[in-house]
Amino acid sequence: MKTISIGIAVSFFVLSLFLPSAWLAAQSEPEVPAPTDTQVSGETVVLSPFSVRATETGRYQAAEATSGARVRVSLFDTTQSVSVVTRDLIEDIGAGRILDAAKYVSGVYESTIPNAQDRTTIRGFQSDGATIDGFSHFSFLNVDPAVIDRIEVVKGPNAIIAPQGVPGGTVNLVSKKPIFQNRGSLSAQVGRWASNRAEADISRVVTPGKIAVRVVAAAQDTEDYGEHNYHESYLIMPMLTYRFISGAEITLQVQAYNALALTYGGIPISPYATSMGNWRLLENIPRDTVIQRRDASRHQSGQHYRAFFTASLLDNLSMRVAANVVHSNATSSQLNIGAITSSPVILDPLTGNTVWDGVTRNDNPQFPLGASVVWQTRTYTNLQNDYVYELDSDSWKATTVAGWAASFSGNYDDRSRNYTVPSPQELRDYVWYPYMFTSSGFDGYGHSRSRSYQFYISQVVNLLEGRLIASAGISYNNYYVDNYDVLRDLRGANAPDAWLPSAGLVYKFTPGLSAYYGYSEVATAIGPNLTGPLAFDKQSSKQHEFGMRLQLLEGRFYASVAYFDIKQDNYSVPNQLNTAVPPPPIPFPDIYSDRVADGVELQVTYNVTQNLALVSNATVMKNRDPDNMPFRGTAEKSGAVWVNYDFRASTPFKGLSIGIGADYLSKRAGDNPGGATSASTVDKVIRIQPSFWLPERTLVNVSLGYRLSEFWKAQLNIDNLLDKEYLQSSTSRQNVWVGLPRNARLMLSYNF
């Protein structure tokens, strides 16, 4: 607590020096015309180092981002891969999920649960929850894209934005902010699946040059794919920005939402599916089978409060303070499908693969069914305070960024109850009724809390008239995690700390061709083990990244290629000593070693002409555990492309725009069984391989837009144009999500 008190004291001391004069100036000066992002009364405004310019270099191109270091950086000058998904791309593809747009960033694709938790795979590492404006939180639900202005993806470990983040990277969602313009939009969308929704986005200038407000709202009432599947939600996000005459600015946001959805968990794979093939769904049931009914639901409501203050303290010293508070309540009722009672496939102990002898059959598989209900009340409180000091000369430039942050989170009501049914059921005849289940009471009831403090400083130096850029930084992080199991009256806590360095170099051979190297680290605190000692208190990850960037045609063409190598320590694998015959009376503990991921990524954005724009990517990578085992849901080859042509006024097709895209994923492990076979020896461990795989797939989507008038526009999006049957994702043999068939969505929007 002492460390955060020092940080808060420093921040309030600086604010006390600055805010009184800024407030007096704001009250005493006459009103000025509303400023744009670049001018006020004809005078050039120095943009805050904590903001990006509103203009983009192309329809799908951005020149800057703030997610890598909390300050504005050029994408061409960073020592780490940073990609931006613009609002234009989000709207052109009609994104219903953040991931629908983020997949156009190399190495990013959907993970094992497509309909909840914003679960994403980045460079082969799974990420749960969302990061909005640099603040991370866990949610049962996917974030509604209506509140998002752009998506910034930082690849690999980053000790500033996410010191406890996923090694693969961070998807930072930049929320919409007031824009000091009077404009707005209303839209309504209809379609067969996951489509029916309405949105509003209204901005107004209250006092020119001083106060602007904006309200974003969305409501959705849709039938998702599969009988009885549904999704209902609404949200509203009002916000206000106040600009001081001195140039300081404060923005306040409130985001409130309420959502209800079926807890659809997929259906089983064929009982004859093996490690080598036959990747079909369970025979004799339709692809749109949903065994849950409406009372198997996921419900969540919450409120997010965010505040951002930026100020220029001196000519070359700027400050930022950001705060975030989240409170949410969630309940999830889930139907659980167990493994079939008699499986026609067996494990080959010599290979670790599942095989079918071609004779044994089970054409009427029965599944033990159960249910569970989870109740959670979560809170998050975050505070960030950053400073930027810049020195500039004719031949060099130095930028120092320093700051601190504090994060607190708590799960203060975490209860769960499991239910069982008397006997296995045939899924094709099963209907969910809650009275069929019995329960003996709560199976879990506990509380958990965590907090972290961060202090960091980084230095960037531009030399040789900007041709050489060198950076280095250090972040100190102190963590605390505690758990309390109420039912067993067990308590435990863990409080590690970590020094996380980073460094990098960029060299520009020409103004449009550069090479870079970056090194970065993160460390994640491990929750306490309530029944025994911890093997380790944190898990650390390190990344080396090399790359080249090419920028041509006044920035309209941008391409980057990157090679990354990530190592995550303290990853467990089975201990081969447990394979001895006879087995040891007390099993030996797992062996902890490094999880390794490496690969090559290519990203291209090209504003070919004023009419034609494209974005594309490709990734070839490998992410394996210490025994070279693949991970569930990880595609080691992926790629995507989107092309849009907008007909201008001078053509016969005035007002028409056409977009077409495709995204590819190679085969992915369908489950993550782990363990070793009975044929393993002390000298040779044979790991159990994935029992089935999701086959590779390529999907094609199109968009047709037509501007009916100055104010009205219609847009038709068709997902899975070729109506390809595919398996979207899975968590086990019993839980496979079926891919969406061809789906048309029509949106009508009014802009004013």
Side-chain angles (χ1 to χ4, degrees):
M1 200 64 184
K2 182 179 179 181
T3 52
I4 187 172
S5 300
I6 295 173
I8 293 175
V10 171
S11 299
F12 275 99
F13 174 73
V14 175
L15 286 170
S16 68
L17 296 177
F18 173 74
L19 275 179
S21 60
W23 176 257
L24 290 174
Q27 305 310 309
S28 60
E29 292 289 338
E31 290 187 2
V32 298
T36 66
D37 288 328
T38 56
Q39 290 187 340
V40 176
S41 302
E43 299 269 337
T44 300
V45 173
V46 178
L47 190 68
S48 167
F50 303 103
S51 304
V52 298
R53 292 177 176 85
T55 56
E56 310 287 357
T57 57
R59 185 169 182 81
Y60 302 143
Q61 292 174 299
E64 301 169 332
T66 59
S67 294
R70 295 191 195 153
V71 296
R72 181 180 71 248
V73 295
S74 165
L75 301 184
F76 195 74
D77 295 344
T78 63
T79 60
Q80 192 170 14
S81 288
V82 181
S83 299
V84 175
V85 178
T86 65
R87 185 66 203 179
D88 282 332
L89 181 58
I90 295 173
E91 292 179 353
D92 285 351
I93 66 176
R97 304 174 303 165
I98 295 300
L99 192 57
D100 294 333
K103 67 184 179 184
Y104 291 100
V105 174
S106 58
V108 180
Y109 50 88
E110 62 191 2
S111 187
T112 56
I113 301 179
N115 60 345
Q117 301 176 8
D118 277 302
R119 184 169 287 183
T120 309
T121 295
I122 312 174
R123 288 185 170 175
F125 292 88
Q126 179 178 290
S127 173
D128 278 352
T131 299
I132 301 180
D133 294 323
F135 302 117
S136 299
H137 69 280
F138 176 81
S139 172
F140 280 164
L141 304 169
N142 292 333
V143 174
D144 194 309
V147 303
I148 303 305
D149 182 64
R150 53 195 255 153
I151 304 170
E152 298 183 352
V153 182
V154 181
K155 306 286 190 62
N158 186 290
I160 294 180
I161 187 175
Q164 289 201 88
V166 176
T170 303
V171 178
N172 185 35
L173 310 177
V174 181
S175 66
K176 293 178 178 178
K177 306 292 193 306
I179 55 176
F180 280 88
Q181 294 179 15
N182 289 325
R183 72 182 192 190
S185 67
L186 302 173
S187 66
Q189 178 181 264
V190 294
R192 187 173 184 186
W193 293 300
S195 303
N196 301 334
R197 60 182 282 118
E199 295 183 21
D201 185 350
I202 301 172
S203 298
R204 285 293 180 268
V205 178
V206 178
T207 303
K210 287 186 177 180
I211 303 175
V213 296
R214 187 174 186 176
V215 177
V216 177
Q220 181 162 305
D221 186 358
T222 74
E223 293 183 3
D224 295 338
Y225 180 60
E227 56 182 351
H228 317 296
N229 205 353
Y230 68 94
H231 180 189
E232 302 169 2
S233 66
Y234 71 81
L235 69 87
I236 186 169
M237 187 172 76
M239 63 198 91
L240 176 147
T241 293
Y242 184 92
R243 284 178 172 170
F244 300 90
I245 295 300
S246 61
E249 181 175 293
I250 187 168
T251 296
L252 305 175
Q253 287 180 335
V254 178
Q255 178 182 336
Y257 59 89
N258 188 36
L260 180 69
L262 189 76
T263 314
Y264 173 63
I267 55 179
I269 198 75
S270 166
Y272 305 102
T274 69
S275 302
M276 311 308 294
N278 193 25
W279 304 325
R280 297 191 303 271
L281 290 171
L282 182 66
E283 283 80 358
N284 302 322
I285 66 170
R287 293 177 63 84
D288 63 351
T289 297
V290 176
I291 63 173
Q292 296 87 356
R293 295 300 182 264
R294 191 175 182 86
D295 52 354
S297 63
R298 179 185 294 116
H299 174 259
Q300 182 161 330
S301 61
Q303 305 82 42
H304 296 216
Y305 307 91
R306 294 186 286 269
F308 310 91
F309 175 79
T310 59
S312 178
L313 305 181
L314 301 171
D315 288 343
N316 48 6
L317 177 63
S318 301
M319 179 187 70
R320 169 184 176 267
V321 178
N324 173 66
V325 176
V326 175
H327 178 82
S328 67
N329 291 291
T331 303
S332 179
S333 305
Q334 182 169 318
L335 181 63
N336 306 308
I337 306 173
I340 59 176
T341 55
S342 177
S343 175
V345 301
I346 60 173
L347 179 68
D348 183 344
L350 299 179
T351 65
N353 291 319
T354 54
V355 295
W356 179 46
D357 60 15
V359 177
T360 306
R361 301 192 63 85
N362 186 347
D363 293 328
N364 296 293
Q366 293 186 328
F367 299 83
L369 298 175
S372 61
V373 181
V374 175
W375 297 265
Q376 289 188 348
T377 299
R378 291 176 177 263
T379 62
Y380 297 85
T381 303
N382 310 91
L383 185 62
Q384 299 173 353
N385 184 204
D386 309 287
Y387 298 86
V388 177
Y389 185 72
E390 298 175 296
L391 291 176
D392 203 348
S393 75
D394 294 337
S395 59
W396 60 271
K397 179 181 179 180
T399 302
T400 304
V401 183
W404 66 275
S407 298
F408 306 85
S409 66
N411 193 347
Y412 296 106
D413 185 8
D414 189 356
R415 292 173 291 160
S416 63
R417 175 178 288 178
N418 293 322
Y419 299 82
T420 59
V421 289
S423 61
Q425 304 287 319
E426 291 188 22
L427 294 188
R428 71 198 72 187
D429 301 324
Y430 178 74
V431 178
W432 161 285
Y433 289 113
Y435 61 76
M436 294 179 61
F437 297 97
T438 58
S439 173
S440 58
F442 286 114
D443 297 278
Y445 183 25
H447 312 304
S448 63
R449 298 177 301 169
S450 68
R451 64 174 181 259
S452 65
Y453 306 131
Q454 175 195 42
F455 296 89
Y456 76 92
I457 185 169
S458 66
Q459 182 70 53
V460 180
V461 180
N462 294 49
L463 302 170
L464 305 177
E465 298 180 340
R467 294 185 64 182
L468 178 64
I469 303 171
S471 66
I474 188 74
S475 173
Y476 170 73
N477 298 270
N478 181 272
Y479 311 124
Y480 176 83
V481 183
D482 73 48
N483 292 334
Y484 174 41
D485 186 327
V486 176
L487 295 182
R488 296 184 294 173
D489 193 24
L490 296 175
R491 300 176 183 268
N494 184 29
D497 60 2
W499 290 89
L500 304 174
S502 60
L505 287 171
V506 177
Y507 184 76
K508 298 180 181 179
F509 301 99
T510 69
L513 177 64
S514 69
Y516 71 93
Y517 163 75
Y519 175 81
S520 56
E521 294 186 14
V522 295
T524 301
I526 303 300
N529 185 351
L530 300 183
T531 59
L534 282 174
F536 50 88
D537 60 4
K538 62 179 179 290
Q539 192 171 47
S540 303
S541 302
K542 304 175 181 180
Q543 173 180 269
H544 297 272
E545 181 175 325
F546 304 84
M548 297 193 72
R549 300 185 177 107
L550 178 64
Q551 188 169 265
L552 301 172
L553 304 174
E554 299 179 337
R556 292 189 293 110
F557 177 86
Y558 180 86
S560 65
V561 60
Y563 168 78
F564 63 89
D565 183 285
I566 303 174
K567 289 186 178 179
Q568 183 184 53
D569 64 13
N570 294 328
Y571 198 87
S572 64
V573 295
N575 193 322
Q576 64 268 26
L577 296 178
N578 292 323
T579 64
V581 179
I586 300 177
F588 289 94
D590 288 346
I591 297 174
Y592 293 92
S593 186
D594 291 337
R595 172 178 176 176
V596 178
D598 58 7
V600 177
E601 296 173 339
L602 173 67
Q603 186 83 36
V604 176
T605 53
Y606 187 17
N607 199 42
V608 185
T609 66
Q610 288 185 336
N611 307 68
L612 181 62
L614 70 85
V615 57
S616 63
N617 70 75
T619 301
V620 178
M621 57 152 288
K622 181 180 289 187
N623 192 326
R624 302 289 178 90
D625 78 1
D627 284 343
N628 198 36
M629 284 281 292
F631 290 94
R632 180 184 60 185
T634 300
E636 298 192 336
K637 296 179 182 178
S638 62
V641 60
W642 179 267
V643 181
N644 179 270
Y645 191 87
D646 191 354
F647 291 90
R648 300 290 173 172
S650 59
T651 69
F653 302 100
K654 173 185 175 181
L656 179 66
S657 63
I658 301 174
I660 184 168
D663 66 278
Y664 165 80
L665 291 179
S666 64
K667 72 173 186 176
R668 293 158 287 159
D671 57 3
N672 217 12
T677 74
S678 60
S680 299
T681 66
V682 174
D683 297 324
K684 181 181 179 181
V685 175
I686 303 173
R687 291 289 300 276
I688 300 175
Q689 301 295 309
S691 70
F692 75 104
W693 294 74
L694 303 179
E696 67 176 1
R697 54 84 172 157
T698 300
L699 302 179
V700 177
N701 303 319
V702 298
S703 172
L704 298 173
Y706 187 73
R707 190 162 294 282
L708 304 170
S709 69
E710 179 184 356
F711 303 106
W712 291 93
K713 180 183 178 181
Q715 180 171 307
L716 175 67
N717 286 86
I718 303 177
D719 307 314
N720 193 6
L721 176 68
L722 305 181
D723 202 23
K724 181 180 179 62
E725 291 189 356
Y726 68 100
L727 304 182
Q728 187 174 12
S729 60
S730 67
T731 57
S732 68
R733 295 179 67 93
Q734 293 79 247
N735 302 97
V736 179
W737 277 257
V738 180
L740 188 72
R742 183 188 297 118
N743 186 42
R745 298 174 285 124
L746 178 63
M747 183 183 70
L748 184 65
S749 59
Y750 176 71
N751 298 277
F752 53 93

